[in-house]
Each structure stands twice: as structure tokens, then as C-alpha cells.
Amino acid sequence: MARLHLFDLDGTLLHGTSAPVEISRQLGLEAEAAALDREIGAQRIGPPEYARRVHALWERLTPEHVTAAFEGAPWLTGIRETWAEIRARGEYCAVVSLSPSFFVERLTGWGAHAAYGSRFPAVPFTEPVDPSGVLSAAAKVKIADRLCEQFGVSRAECLAYGDSLSDVELFGVVPVSIAINADRHVAALATHSYAGRDLWEAYELVRHTR
């Protein structure tokens, strides 16, 4: 039976940072974005308010900024190699993140079968962000279920990789979960835990798990 590997982005594939912080860094606004990350992490604001405020930070954002942010971000090593191995085994890998889809979707070029993020308008922005397109922790579970249907697997064949509060609901519905450089919200929930900067090493913990 094939398996579906579901990866978070911020703090998981990206080490110690988030896509919004890396995007904002290109505009000299990383401190402001990091402050928003702390607010949502502390649950002082929710995903729609976070999206509205980060969208406002990015009024000067261009596609070139996004490309520079993606290429210069501190990714874990071994992402493409891990996903190539998953594909070679006849399994599936997908990224599901609350970060903007225009950043997340670039990971299909690295080998992800699918990549989902919060829907933002096209860059450069000429319209506001639609709150209905902003993902949440619960939305991650719904997307996971849609991907299961798409790939012909069940929740019982899913593995989730994450690091923080937005991964709690997904960790709660899959049998195998890998906490990567995780905070207290998910570390105690995970079936496996990894600290480091190489995705292959985290994958090795569950590579032969059934």
C-alpha cells in the first residue's frame, strides 16, 4: 500500500524561520514579519488577521523578491533527495502550509506531488487578500483528506511532518507523525522526533515504518 507524506513548511522544511519572514527580509521588513509570527504562535491573532497584516507589509512586493526569498531561504538539506526516494518507492509527498500559495507551490519543482498554501492575490498585489482562502490547522486536515482521495490512500497510510501549533490537528488524525525541530505543542504528540537540519535524517526514522 502506498503512503502519503505530508510536510509542513514554516519551521519544518524551513529551519528556524517562515516563508513570510523570508519574503519580508527582501523588503527590509523581517522584524515586522517575525513579530507577526510570534503573535500567531501565541494565538493572539488568527490566520485571517495574520494574512491581512502580512499582505499590508508587502505592498512593494515583486515576483523578483519572491524568487530571491525562495532561493535564499535556510532550507533543510536533503529535501529533493528525500522526495525523490519517496517517489521511487511509489509513495506520495505533499506540502500543506498556512504560508502564501505563491511561495509554497514552488516546491512542486523540487519533487512534491502537490503543494497547498493560503491563497493570496497575484504579485504585485492589486487587490486585498480573501480571508476565505486563508488556511488553518483544520484546513490542513481537509486538504490531507482530499489528497488521500486523489492518490487512493487512507489516513492510515499518512505520515505528517511538522513543528508547531498549526500541525496539532493533523498529527491527531494520522498514525505516524514526525516532529521536526518542534515546539511544545507537537513534540509530545509525535510518534517520532527529530532535531537537526537534514530532512533525510528525519525521513529515515519512518522510512521502513508500516
Side-chain angles (χ1 to χ4, degrees):
M1 180 70 71
R3 299 188 298 176
L4 171 59
H5 300 253
L6 298 157
F7 294 90
D8 173 54
L9 173 66
D10 301 322
T12 303
L13 298 177
L14 285 173
H15 185 265
T17 188
S18 68
V21 168
E22 294 308 304
I23 293 167
S24 299
R25 192 184 310 281
Q26 300 300 315
L27 301 170
L29 298 169
E30 64 270 27
E32 289 84 347
L36 286 176
D37 277 5
R38 289 193 293 273
E39 286 197 60
I40 195 170
Q43 298 181 276
R44 291 193 292 270
I45 59 174
E49 174 65 10
Y50 178 93
R52 185 190 68 78
R53 289 170 63 179
V54 79
H55 175 275
L57 280 182
W58 295 341
E59 61 180 350
R60 296 185 290 109
L61 190 64
T62 67
E64 292 74 21
H65 289 132
V66 179
T67 296
F70 187 88
E71 293 179 351
W75 299 98
L76 294 188
T77 60
I79 293 174
R80 280 171 275 202
E81 294 81 359
T82 300
W83 292 351
E85 160 74 3
I86 289 170
R87 281 177 168 270
R89 291 167 62 93
E91 300 180 352
Y92 303 97
C93 51
V95 182
V96 186
S97 170
L98 274 59
S99 278
S101 57
F102 60 74
F103 189 96
V104 181
E105 290 170 358
R106 290 171 175 250
L107 287 166
T108 58
W110 285 13
H113 287 92
Y116 288 87
S118 294
R119 290 197 308 274
F120 273 64
V123 177
F125 299 143
T126 59
E127 56 189 79
V129 63
D130 181 355
S132 69
V134 177
L135 301 188
S136 63
K140 284 191 171 187
V141 176
K142 293 178 181 178
I143 291 171
D145 285 340
R146 292 206 301 269
L147 289 169
C148 283
E149 183 176 355
Q150 177 182 340
F151 297 130
V153 302
S154 70
R155 284 185 181 179
E157 284 78 52
C158 287
L159 305 87
Y161 302 71
D163 76 304
S164 63
L165 188 63
S166 70
D167 303 301
V168 167
E169 293 195 34
L170 187 56
F171 273 34
V173 299
V174 300
V176 179
S177 52
I178 305 91
I180 296 180
N181 300 315
D183 66 17
R184 60 183 176 82
H185 294 107
V186 296
L189 299 177
T191 57
H192 299 77
S193 186
Y194 172 74
R197 301 195 64 164
D198 188 335
L199 185 62
W200 181 269
E201 293 177 352
Y203 169 62
E204 281 278 18
L205 298 175
V206 295
R207 185 180 181 193
H208 301 296
T209 300
R210 287 291 179 181

